[in-house]
C-alpha cells in the first residue's frame, strides 16, 4: 500500500524531528520539514503532499493559519492538520472555519496524530473527544471572542492594548492621532466589557491573540 506523504511545518527543529519520527513509526512518509511559512508554502507547491501538518504559531509575520489560507486558496481540497501548543476555543473554531480537518495539541499521543493524518487524507474530520465537545459548545452558545465582535482595526488596537502599549504608543505605531486611538480603545472596552489592563490581557491570551 502506498504510504501517505506528509509535510510537517514547525519552527522548532527538535519538536518537528520528534513528530517526524513518530509519524514514520506509524507507517507514514514525511516528505519535507519546513521551518518557516515561506518554506511550507514552497514545499507544498513543489511536493504536493497528501497531508500538511502545520503548527499554528511559527514565523514572525505569518502563522500556520495564514499558510493554510494560501494553500486552500489554490488547492481547496488540500488536507490540513493543525498543531498547537495551546487549545483556546477561538483557535479551535478558526481552524475548523478555515477548512482544517483536524486540530491536535502538541502533547497528543503519536497514534492520535497519525490517525488524524489518515482521516484527513480520506477527506474526513478528526477531533479528539474533548475538542469535538468544545466545538459543539461553541456552536450552541455562540462566539464571544474579540475576533467575532471587533472589526480589523479595532482588533488590532485591542491586541496592542493587551500587549501593554499606551494610547500614545499605539497612535505612533499606527500613525494616527492619540485622540482617535483613545476613542476606539474606549469603544473596544465597552463592547467587550473589560476595562482593567489585566483583564484585557487575560482576554487576549484566552482567545489566542497574544502569547501567555
Amino acid at each position: 500500500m502506498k504510504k501517505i506523504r506528509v509535510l510537517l511545518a514547525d519552527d522548532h527543529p527538535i519538536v518537528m524531528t520528534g513528530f517526524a519520527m513518530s509519524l514514520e513509526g506509524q507507517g507514514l512518509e514525511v516528505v519535507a520539514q519546513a521551518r518557516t511559512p515561506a518554506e511550507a508554502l514552497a514545499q507544498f507547491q513543489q511536493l504536493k503532499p497528501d497531508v500538511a501538518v502545520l503548527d499554528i504559531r511559527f514565523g514572525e509575520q505569518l502563522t500556520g493559519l495564514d499558510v493554510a489560507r494560501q494553500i486552500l486558496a489554490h488547492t481547496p481540497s488540500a488536507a490540513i492538520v493543525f498543531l498547537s501548543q495551546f487549545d483556546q476555543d477561538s483557535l479551535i473554531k478558526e481552524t475548523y472555519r478555515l477548512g482544517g480537518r483536524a486540530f491536535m495539541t502538541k502533547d497528543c499521543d503519536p497514534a492520535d496524530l497519525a490517525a488524524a493524518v489518515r482521516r484527513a487524507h480520506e477527506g474526513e474530520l478528526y477531533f479528539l473527544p474533548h475538542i469535538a465537545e468544545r466545538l459543539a459548545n461553541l456552536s450552541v452558545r455562540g462566539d464571544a471572542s474579540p475576533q467575532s465582535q471587533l472589526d480589523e482595526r479595532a482588533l488590532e488596537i485591542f491586541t496592542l492594548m493587551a500587549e501593554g502599549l499606551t494610547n500614545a504608543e499605539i497612535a505612533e505605531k499606527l500613525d494616527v492621532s492619540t485622540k482617535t486611538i483613545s476613542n476606539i480603545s474606549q469603544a473596544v472596552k465597552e463592547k467587550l466589557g473589560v476595562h482593567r489592563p489585566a483583564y484585557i490581557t487575560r482576554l487576549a491570551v484566552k482567545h489566542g491573540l497574544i502569547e501567555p
Side-chain angles (χ1 to χ4, degrees):
M1 182 181 294
K2 185 179 178 182
K3 288 185 177 181
I4 297 172
R5 300 169 66 252
V6 181
L7 163 67
L8 277 176
D10 192 301
D11 62 352
H12 294 93
I14 294 177
V15 172
M16 190 160 54
T17 299
F19 280 125
M21 292 176 63
S22 296
L23 291 176
E24 290 181 340
Q26 296 285 328
L28 306 173
E29 180 184 2
V30 177
V31 295
Q33 298 181 39
R35 296 186 183 182
T36 68
E39 281 184 12
L41 287 169
Q43 290 176 354
F44 185 89
Q45 292 165 359
Q46 178 184 354
L47 301 172
K48 296 179 172 54
D50 298 313
V51 179
V53 179
L54 306 177
D55 184 10
I56 288 181
R57 291 180 176 170
F58 77 109
E60 295 182 358
Q61 300 299 323
L62 298 178
T63 68
L65 297 174
D66 297 315
V67 172
R69 288 188 187 98
Q70 294 187 47
I71 287 175
L72 291 168
H74 292 91
T75 312
S77 62
I80 295 176
V81 172
F82 285 104
L83 269 176
S84 178
Q85 182 178 349
F86 309 101
D87 62 350
Q88 292 101 330
D89 288 349
S90 59
L91 284 181
I92 296 170
K93 187 168 184 176
E94 181 65 9
T95 59
Y96 178 71
R97 188 191 67 78
L98 274 178
R101 296 185 184 174
F103 178 97
M104 307 295 295
T105 52
K106 289 189 176 183
D107 59 356
C108 68
D109 189 293
D112 286 328
L113 180 58
V117 168
R118 291 193 176 94
R119 291 280 287 276
H121 180 240
E122 293 167 3
E124 300 176 2
L125 299 177
Y126 184 88
F127 294 100
L128 293 174
H130 72 284
I131 298 293
E133 181 180 357
R134 288 169 63 179
L135 267 175
N137 288 336
L138 281 171
S139 298
V140 170
R141 70 172 185 260
D143 188 354
S145 69
Q147 292 94 319
S148 70
Q149 298 185 68
L150 304 175
D151 61 30
E152 185 176 350
R153 174 45 67 95
L155 184 63
E156 181 180 20
I157 291 170
F158 170 77
T159 303
L160 294 172
M161 291 163 58
E163 291 175 346
L165 275 68
T166 65
N167 285 345
E169 290 169 335
I170 296 172
E172 182 179 359
K173 185 177 182 69
L174 301 182
D175 195 25
V176 297
S177 71
T178 302
K179 183 177 180 180
T180 296
I181 296 300
S182 178
N183 290 338
I184 294 176
S185 66
Q186 186 59 38
V188 165
K189 292 175 184 177
E190 295 292 340
K191 191 160 193 175
L192 298 179
V194 290
H195 296 275
R196 295 184 180 181
Y199 294 165
I200 291 170
T201 300
R202 189 181 306 167
L203 184 63
V205 169
K206 177 181 177 182
H207 292 283
L209 291 167
I210 63 173
E211 296 282 353

